[in-house]
Amino acid sequence: MFDIIIKNIGSLITAQGTNSLSGKNQGKVQVYSDVSIGIKNGLIEYIGEAPTEKAKKTINANGALVTPGLIDCHTHFIYGGSREEEMYNIITGHMSYSEIIKSGYGILSTVNDTREQTENTLYKKSIPILDSMLRHGTTTVEGKSGYGLTLKDEIKILNVMKKLNDNHKISIISTFMGGHVIPNEYKNDRSAYIDLICNEMIPEISKLGLAEFCDVFCEDCGLNMEETDTVLTAAQKYNMGIKVHSDQLETSGGSYLAARFNAISAEHLIMADDMSIQTIKKQGVIAVLLPNASFYLGMPYARARYMVECGIPIAIATDYNPGSSPTLNMQFIMKLAYIIYRLNPEEILNAVTINAACALNRGKEIGTIEIGKKADIVVWNSKSLHFLLYTLDNNLCNMVFKSGELVYSKSEV
Ligand code: NIG
Ligand code: FE
C-alpha cells in the first residue's frame, strides 16, 4: 500500500540519474504523459499508469505539469535588517554596489544588523522566509553564513540553520562563509582576520559539524586571491566542501582557485573571462549562476549559453540576500534565466533541480523524480513547462510535496 498516489499527471518532466548534466545534456529530460506517482516512506516507489496497488491517500493532479522540487543552491537567507536605502542609492546612481561595500556599508551594514540579533530572533525571522520558499516550490535550500564575521556570530547563524533544518519541512544545507568581507574592526589588519577564520572559526565550526561547505567571496571588495587561497586551504584540511563566489564584480581569479581546490561549484561568474571558464570546465566545477544579482544591481549577465556550449554544468539559484538579490522566488529566477540567458525551458529545469542537487552533493537523493529518490515534488498550476516560464504572473505552485508529505496546497485536496 502506498502512502500517497498522485494521479492524473498530464506531463511529468524530470532529468534522470544522479550526476550533473552538461553541454547537449544540460536540457536532457524524460517526459512522461498521463502517469501516476506512488510514494511510500517519503520516497518515490512507482511511476507509471494508474497503479492497481491501493494508497492511504490519492491526490488528483488534474492533468497538470509535475516536476522535481526546486533546489535553491545559493542563498544568504539568515540576516538582520534590510537595505532599501542602499538600493535607492544604487538606482539613483549615487554609489555602486562595490563602492558601498568599500565605504564600510552594504554587506557590513547587514553584518552590524545581524550581530545585534539573538539566535532566537533570527530563527523566528527565518521561518516565514522558509515557508514562502516552500510555497513557491523550493524543497531544498543552501544557506551561507557570513553576516556574523566573529566566531560567536558565525556560529550563531549556523546554529539557526541547524535548528531550522531540524524543525522546518524544507531541507537546509549549510555553508560557512566567514570569508565574505573583512569586518571593519580588522580593516587595518586583514591578515589577523584571515588567521581568525583559519585558526579558530574553521576548526570550531568543523568540530561542531555546523557546515558542510566553505565559500569565500573572492573579489576586490571581499578577500583577495591570496587570502582566499589561505582560507580554502584551511577548509580543505577540515574536509569541508569548497565553493567560491568568483568573478562577480570583476575578473577576480576566483575561478582559478575554484579549479585548483577542486571546488564543487564556482558561483556568479558574471565577469569570468574565457580562460576562467575553460579552467573550471577542465576541472568539472559546476557553474552556479545568479541572474537576479545582475538584474538587481544593473550588472552584465553571466555568459550562460557560452558556458553550456563549453560543456560546463549550469545550476541557477536566487542568491537570496538583503543587498544584491532580495527575492526567494525561484520561479521568478527561472523566468529571468529564460528571458535573459536564452536557455531553453528544459535546460533551466535541470539547472534548478539535478544540477543544483549536484552543486550541493545531493544528486543521489534529490533533483529528479525517479524510483528510490526522495519524494520532493511540485504539481504546477500549468499544463506545460513552456507556460510555466512564459507567464510572469503569480505563484504557479499548486501543490508541493516534501519527502512525500503534502506541505503546501493552493486548494483543499
Ligand atoms: O552573493 N557578493 C557577495 N555576497 C552576496 C551579497 C551579499 C550582500 O550584498 O549582502 C552575493 O551577491
Ligand atoms: Fe552570494
Side-chain angles (χ1 to χ4, degrees), residues 386-399:
H386 287 202
F387 183 82
L388 177 65
L389 294 186
Y390 150 77
T391 169
L392 272 179
D393 287 345
N394 300 335
N395 175 12
L396 285 179
C397 269
N398 194 6
M399 289 177 231

Side-chain angles (χ1 to χ4, degrees), residues 74-76 97 142 144 147 177 180 215 217 245 248 267-268 290 293 318-321 324-325:
H74 178 141
T75 83
H76 310 249
Y97 179 72
E142 182 254 18
K144 302 177 197 290
Y147 289 133
M177 199 168 163
H180 198 179
D215 195 344
F217 185 32
H245 270 63
Q248 179 187 3
E267 325 214 337
H268 282 286
L290 307 156
T318 60
D319 193 18
Y320 176 53
N321 75 74
S324 64
S325 186

Side-chain angles (χ1 to χ4, degrees), residues 82-233:
S82 63
R83 309 225 299 266
E84 61 277 15
E85 295 313 322
E86 179 181 307
M87 171 68 176
Y88 176 80
N89 281 327
I90 292 173
I91 294 289
T92 51
H94 286 112
M95 276 175 121
S96 73
Y97 179 72
S98 52
E99 278 163 0
I100 292 171
I101 300 176
K102 283 183 193 152
S103 55
Y105 299 96
I107 296 174
L108 289 164
S109 308
T110 303
V111 169
N112 286 338
D113 290 338
T114 309
R115 285 178 178 175
E116 277 170 17
Q117 308 280 317
T118 64
E119 198 172 299
N120 198 27
T121 331
L122 287 174
Y123 179 87
K124 285 199 185 132
K125 181 185 178 203
S126 306
I127 291 174
I129 292 173
L130 298 178
D131 291 345
S132 182
M133 285 179 180
L134 265 187
R135 282 200 303 277
H136 286 85
T138 300
T139 46
T140 297
V141 60
E142 182 254 18
K144 302 177 197 290
S145 68
Y147 289 133
L149 311 186
T150 64
L151 177 63
K152 171 173 106 354
D153 291 299
E154 286 294 299
I155 288 180
K156 176 176 78 182
I157 294 168
L158 292 166
N159 263 333
V160 173
M161 281 196 249
K162 183 176 188 306
K163 286 190 185 147
L164 288 165
N165 185 46
D166 291 344
N167 297 314
H168 199 278
K169 300 286 181 200
I170 206 165
S171 299
I172 299 163
I173 294 161
S174 301
T175 297
F176 165 64
M177 199 168 163
H180 198 179
V181 286
I182 305 287
N184 277 334
E185 62 276 19
Y186 283 97
K187 73 170 186 252
N188 298 320
D189 193 3
R190 298 174 67 97
S191 65
Y193 183 62
I194 303 300
D195 286 350
L196 178 70
I197 296 180
C198 297
N199 303 331
E200 293 184 43
M201 292 187 188
I202 290 176
E204 187 62 17
I205 284 160
S206 154
K207 192 174 102 198
L208 297 169
L210 285 175
E212 197 168 323
F213 298 100
C214 175
D215 195 344
V216 173
F217 185 32
C218 181
E219 207 77 37
D220 200 27
C221 57
L223 271 61
N224 64 32
M225 269 185 95
E226 199 187 326
E227 291 161 343
T228 304
D229 188 323
T230 309
V231 170
L232 296 183
T233 304

